[in-house]
């Protein structure tokens, strides 16, 4: 069964209000962050390809590679599936990412079906693909599919933000943060937005960019 879908800024505001009423520290964080961003993206092949491109490179490098892929007409599954190594290497893809990108293009995913699949089924389907880990699958579910109750506890910024907000001695593990986030259901996706926003505020306050 598919739960709540975040479609508009009002959905995010509703979730934020629910979290603030449940957890006083979230209420204090919201006072500092202000309204949370919607952060919805398009779904489909290009969204997952972009996630693969962005792995283990800087934001600037990922943007440059993506621009070259767009210019070469390689952000569509059909074109990527038959692209040769030389074309992909010229765009900046490593050999490993070439393999991941072509595997994604040839997987023939039913992106329409993912829109109505349960959260767990979405994650299971995506992590079965080469180059798509749980973090990438959860981010896709949250932002491309708008799943309100999906969280990404393996994200280092979320872990650090939780440490700061909840006064922990150390950064929580993925397992520990996943367990803690159970209390934030059915709005774990909004809790993630809040923690990311709080992380930026906290680091700016410390003078870290």
């Amino acid at each position: 069964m598919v739960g709540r879908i975040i479609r508009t800024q009002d959905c995010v505001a509703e979730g934020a209000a629910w979290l603030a009423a449940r957890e006083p520290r979230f209420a204090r964080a919201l006072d500092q962050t202000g309204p949370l961003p919607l952060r919805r993206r398009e779904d489909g092949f290009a969204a997952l390809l972009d996630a693969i491109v962005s792995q283990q490179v800087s934001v600037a490098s990922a943007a440059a590679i993506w621009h070259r892929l767009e210019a070469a007409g390689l952000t569509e599954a059909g074109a990527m599936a038959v692209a040769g190594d030389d074309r992909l290497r010229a765009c900046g893809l490593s050999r490993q990412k070439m393999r991941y990108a072509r595997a994604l293009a040839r997987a023939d995913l039913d992106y329409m079906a993912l829109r109505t699949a349960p959260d767990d089924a979405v994650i299971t389907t995506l992590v079965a693909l080469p180059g798509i880990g749980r973090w990438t699958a959860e981010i896709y579910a949250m932002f491309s599919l708008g799943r309100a109750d999906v969280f990404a506890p393996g994200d280092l910024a979320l872990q650090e933000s939780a440490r700061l907000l909840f006064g922990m001695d150390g950064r929580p593990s993925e397992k520990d943060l996943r367990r803690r986030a159970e209390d934030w259901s059915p709005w774990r996706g909004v809790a993630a937005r809040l923690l990311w926003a709080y992380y930026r505020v906290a680091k700016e306050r410390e003078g870290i960019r």
Side-chain angles (χ1 to χ4, degrees), residues 65-76 79 83 87-88 90-91:
I65 294 169
W66 187 256
H67 178 74
R68 289 193 288 268
L69 287 170
E70 284 186 317
L74 294 173
T75 57
E76 298 291 335
R87 288 188 73 195
L88 296 180
C91 291

Side-chain angles (χ1 to χ4, degrees), residues 145-157:
L145 299 180
R147 302 305 174 90
D149 203 30
V150 172
F151 194 71
D155 187 272
L156 295 181

Side-chain angles (χ1 to χ4, degrees), residues 12 31-32 89 100 104 134 168-169 180:
V12 177
D31 287 340
Q32 298 178 55
R89 189 179 299 110
Y100 293 162
L104 175 64
R134 188 171 184 90
M168 301 177 186
D169 291 334
R180 179 181 287 267

Side-chain angles (χ1 to χ4, degrees), residues 54-159:
S54 300
Q55 291 171 2
Q56 299 179 323
V57 298
S58 69
V59 173
S61 294
I65 294 169
W66 187 256
H67 178 74
R68 289 193 288 268
L69 287 170
E70 284 186 317
L74 294 173
T75 57
E76 298 291 335
M80 177 58 71
V82 297
D85 285 0
D86 289 345
R87 288 188 73 195
L88 296 180
R89 189 179 299 110
C91 291
L93 291 185
S94 66
R95 181 169 296 278
Q96 184 179 58
K97 288 186 179 180
M98 291 181 205
R99 183 170 67 85
Y100 293 162
R102 282 193 288 245
L104 175 64
R106 295 167 182 169
D108 195 28
L109 275 183
D110 188 340
Y111 292 101
M112 290 290 288
L114 287 180
R115 294 178 182 179
T116 55
D119 295 343
D120 288 346
V122 171
I123 303 302
T124 299
T125 298
L126 295 181
V127 299
L129 298 170
I132 304 293
R134 188 171 184 90
W135 179 88
T136 300
E138 287 167 339
I139 294 297
Y140 182 86
M142 267 195 282
F143 298 136
S144 291
L145 299 180
R147 302 305 174 90
D149 203 30
V150 172
F151 194 71
D155 187 272
L156 295 181
L158 290 182
Q159 293 173 9

